[in-house]
């Protein structure tokens, strides 16, 4: 089955630094990828939709200048958390629909801790 | 109104019990439907797709009611290993919408 690989699986960074998270579709091309954030004991919250070759679409309340998304190729989308603060500590997950846009496959998630 | 509404629970049931979860969706143009399972600190994993005619996989039964715009998941003979969060998902074009997830704990 289709596989989406997300890296890193966990990261600890200092407040004020930036962190880049990669999401790769390994055996299919994904023109669209989704980025979610999940706080402890809460549901997945869609942050933005990453579109290959064009600007990402951000959900209401998500700062596009803080969460930079780049989808430079059909198999790679990146999320950069800029000037991270402790309140950005969360579980970030990407997903990509398969070619038929029927089913979404998830990356393994990245647990970000900002200290 | 949210695209997908789901009772967050929690559901605490004894081993062997039958438990059912429902999700309602607002967009009648939704094309496909899924149930995902998420274990603590892990990514969601596909449990089963939901077909119009209903489908069954072992102890799990998924059903779709297009007229009332809801999907359901029934778990029979609950096992301790069924403890997890169950999320429903609908697909409309290339947009995917998740419910908030329902927490299930199966108690010995």
């Amino acid at each position: 089955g289709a596989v989406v690989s997300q890296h890193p699986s966990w990261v600890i960074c200092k407040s004020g630094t930036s962190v880049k998270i990669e999401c790769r579709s390994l055996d299919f091309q994904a023109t669209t990828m989704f980025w979610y954030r999940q706080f402890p004991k809460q549901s997945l919250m869609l942050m933005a939709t990453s579109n290959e070759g064009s600007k990402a679409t951000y959900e209401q309340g998500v700062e596009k200048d803080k969460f930079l998304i780049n989808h430079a190729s059909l198999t790679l989308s990146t999320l950069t958390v800029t000037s991270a603060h402790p309140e950005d500590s969360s579980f970030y997950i990407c997903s990509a629909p398969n070619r038929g846009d029927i089913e979404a496959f998830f990356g393994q998630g990245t647990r970000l801790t900002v200290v | 109104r949210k695209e997908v509404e789901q009772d967050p629970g929690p559901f605490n049931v004894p081993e062997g019990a039958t438990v059912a979860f429902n999700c309602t969706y607002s967009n009648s143009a939704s094309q496909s439907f899924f149930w995902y399972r998420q274990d603590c600190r892990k990514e969601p994993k596909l449990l089963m797709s939901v077909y119009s005619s209903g489908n069954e996989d072992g102890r799990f039964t998924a059903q779709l009611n297009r007229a009332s715009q809801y999907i359901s998941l029934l778990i029979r003979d609950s096992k301790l290993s069924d403890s997890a969060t169950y999320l429903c998902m609908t697909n409309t074009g290339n947009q995917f919408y998740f419910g908030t997830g329902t927490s299930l704990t199966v108690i010995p």
Side-chain angles (χ1 to χ4, degrees), chain B residues 14-93:
Chain B
E15 253 185 306
T18 296
V19 62
F21 309 131
N22 287 328
C23 274
T24 57
Y25 60 95
S26 60
N27 191 339
S28 59
S30 298
Q31 298 168 345
S32 45
F33 308 88
F34 305 91
W35 283 101
Y36 280 79
R37 169 187 170 136
Q38 185 178 24
D39 292 292
C40 187
R41 294 174 174 262
K42 300 278 189 180
E43 77 278 16
K45 297 199 173 175
L46 181 65
L47 179 65
M48 58 197 304
S49 303
V50 187
Y51 303 122
S52 297
S53 54
N55 47 303
E56 188 174 305
D57 182 3
R59 298 181 293 108
F60 299 83
T61 301
Q63 291 194 315
L64 165 65
N65 185 317
R66 283 195 182 271
S68 300
Q69 294 186 195
Y70 75 84
I71 61 173
S72 64
L73 176 68
L74 183 77
I75 306 176
R76 291 181 299 278
D77 188 23
S78 299
K79 310 289 185 191
L80 297 178
S81 57
D82 294 334
S83 298
T85 297
Y86 292 83
L87 301 102
C88 58
M89 190 185 83
T90 67
N91 164 249
T92 305

Side-chain angles (χ1 to χ4, degrees), chain A residues 38 43 102-104 106-107, chain B residues 34 36 38 43 46 94 98 100:
Chain A
Q38 187 176 37
S43 63
I102 300 299
E103 181 184 338
F106 285 89
Chain B
F34 305 91
Y36 280 79
Q38 185 178 24
E43 77 278 16
L46 181 65
N94 69 345
F98 284 92
T100 52

